Amino acid sequence: ESEVRSYCRSWPVVFDTAVGSRLTDVDGKSYLDFFAGAGALNYGHNPPALKKPLLEYLSRDGVTHGLDMYTRAKGEFLKTFREVVLEPRGLDYKVQFPGPTGANAVESALKLARKISGKEAMINFTNAFHGMTLGALSVTGNSMKRGGAGIPLVHATPMPYDNYFDGKVPDFLWFERVLEDQGSSLNDPAAVIVETVQGEGGINPARIEWLQGLAELCKRHEILLIVDDVQMGVGRTGPFFSFEAAGIEPDIVCLSKSISGYGLPMALVLIKPEYDQWGPGEHNGTFRGHNPAFVTGTAALREFWCDDTLEKSTIAKGERVEEALGRIAASTSTVELTPKGRGLARGLSF
């Protein structure tokens, strides 16, 4: 395997099986899995309610690979997603299947925003992470990952994320000033892309009022708002969408990771109907139609999102984790520790 491998360097064991929140290695030793597939396993490993319909689908020779062909599995997913997720929240989005990964979703969102607006420039935020392909890297903050591109990453301007200046500078002071200043040299942006809780950037939760302020600023300046909910969506912070608590409605939403419910590759781009301006085939990909992921994704929505049990449980468990991390921080005198996060996306900042 290539030297590019990373996570396995920190876990020098060979894993074999996994059930729920535990992984077991080839020697039979069990490990509690706090990694959860970097947010791709929000319901745990091999959840029975999803495994059963998946095995039944495969055993009857259900279509596995379908590009964007109409299939029963896709139709059932779309119908269930509308009835279980969108309609109860009063949301109206068209659903695009951009390819199997979160980076595919982000690339699609950036391309579409440029098509809609006729503008090239994007606004991203300090410490953001949106993916490893060139477009997604251009709005990503990590200098090591950006350096891997090997070419200049252009057409994106970073702005300070919430609390970047430790509360010493008013929210959006710099952003709004350069937007309105004809001498600032800021290119007129097509869109703003943001994570409501930064994951790879350090488990940085944006305050509700900051997100509301950002949405209002975008509306006032006629800038499209893209929320990257790849890692924090599908219940990681409690609600299905991480932006629900702020009461905002992004123009475009990127989903992946846990949307299949089973760790199977799948991604969505949610688009307000008036912005669904794609031409047929203008963005495509070989693995847009991974039907086993539609099957498990449908089962996950029916099993976990027809009521608010999971949402309340995630919030309650998150509070327990926050208390535990707080005790660790309070009892440590050798280094300053700060508990951070929302829902079950939690960490200790060193």
Side-chain angles (χ1 to χ4, degrees):
E1 187 179 0
S2 166
E3 292 300 316
V4 79
R5 66 191 186 279
S6 57
Y7 296 124
C8 59
R9 296 177 185 272
S10 300
W11 304 319
V13 298
V14 179
F15 294 108
D16 184 36
T17 62
V19 176
S21 59
R22 290 199 166 266
L23 287 157
T24 303
D25 68 15
V26 291
D27 297 318
K29 185 175 180 179
S30 177
Y31 298 82
L32 185 59
D33 181 11
F34 280 94
F35 189 53
L41 297 166
N42 283 1
Y43 314 117
H45 295 273
N46 291 301
L50 280 60
K51 181 164 65 174
K52 184 174 183 288
L54 174 61
L55 293 176
E56 289 173 351
Y57 184 79
L58 295 174
S59 67
R60 70 173 182 83
D61 294 327
V63 174
T64 298
H65 179 271
L67 289 166
D68 69 350
M69 294 186 293
Y70 299 128
T71 65
R72 175 182 290 181
K74 182 201 279 190
E76 290 181 352
F77 173 80
L78 285 168
K79 180 175 182 290
T80 305
F81 189 78
R82 183 183 69 237
E83 293 176 351
V84 174
V85 176
L86 296 182
E87 289 179 348
R89 292 164 177 79
L91 298 173
D92 184 15
Y93 287 117
K94 299 287 287 295
V95 179
Q96 177 188 354
F97 299 104
T101 72
N104 289 130
V106 169
E107 294 285 352
S108 301
L110 298 179
K111 286 170 64 174
L112 182 58
R114 288 179 169 125
K115 178 181 174 66
I116 293 164
S117 66
K119 303 168 186 175
E120 297 178 352
M122 293 289 162
I123 298 294
N124 60 304
F125 289 96
T126 50
N127 294 309
F129 181 84
H130 296 289
M132 298 295 284
T133 48
L134 290 181
L137 265 184
S138 72
V139 291
T140 288
N142 185 293
S143 59
M144 181 272 287
K145 290 177 168 43
R146 289 175 63 89
I151 61 170
L153 297 170
V154 296
H155 305 306
T157 302
M159 291 292 164
Y161 194 69
D162 188 20
N163 205 38
Y164 188 73
F165 294 110
D166 300 319
K168 297 174 184 176
V169 177
D171 298 337
F172 310 118
L173 175 66
W174 171 251
F175 188 4
E176 192 140 35
R177 182 73 61 85
V178 295
L179 271 176
E180 296 174 348
D181 183 2
Q182 297 300 309
S184 71
S185 79
L186 180 72
N187 292 318
D188 197 14
V192 169
I193 184 167
V194 67
E195 305 154 275
T196 66
V197 179
Q198 293 182 331
E200 301 293 324
I203 311 294
N204 304 315
R207 291 167 298 140
I208 298 303
E209 55 268 31
W210 188 88
L211 294 169
Q212 292 169 339
L214 176 62
E216 194 275 330
L217 184 150
C218 287
K219 185 175 183 179
R220 192 167 66 250
H221 289 274
E222 298 183 337
I223 304 169
L224 293 169
L225 177 60
I226 304 168
V227 167
D228 179 346
D229 230 4
V230 168
Q231 191 170 62
M232 296 301 161
V234 197
R236 175 56 56 175
T237 66
F240 187 88
F241 296 109
S242 69
F243 56 81
E244 288 183 55
I248 62 175
E249 292 188 15
D251 299 300
I252 302 174
V253 181
C254 301
L255 291 174
S256 186
K257 290 193 182 281
S258 278
I259 190 61
S260 79
Y262 208 79
L264 299 177
M266 182 178 175
L268 308 178
V269 180
L270 308 183
I271 308 162
K272 285 189 174 180
E274 63 269 30
Y275 297 133
D276 184 25
Q277 298 177 16
W278 289 117
E282 197 169 8
H283 184 92
N284 60 20
T286 303
F287 294 100
R288 287 171 289 160
H290 187 45
N291 283 263
F294 295 150
V295 171
T296 56
T298 300
L301 294 176
R302 291 173 176 166
E303 177 72 15
F304 298 110
W305 293 103
C306 286
D307 59 32
D308 61 1
T309 302
L310 179 68
E311 178 179 346
K312 288 182 176 178
S313 173
T314 301
I315 293 170
K317 289 174 182 175
E319 290 171 352
R320 289 177 60 193
V321 174
E322 183 179 32
E323 290 173 5
L325 295 180
R327 288 195 297 271
I328 293 171
S331 65
T332 304
S333 58
T334 54
V335 64
E336 184 179 352
L337 303 176
T338 306
K340 295 197 297 183
R342 181 174 294 138
L344 275 173
R346 297 281 177 180
L348 276 170
S349 177
F350 287 74

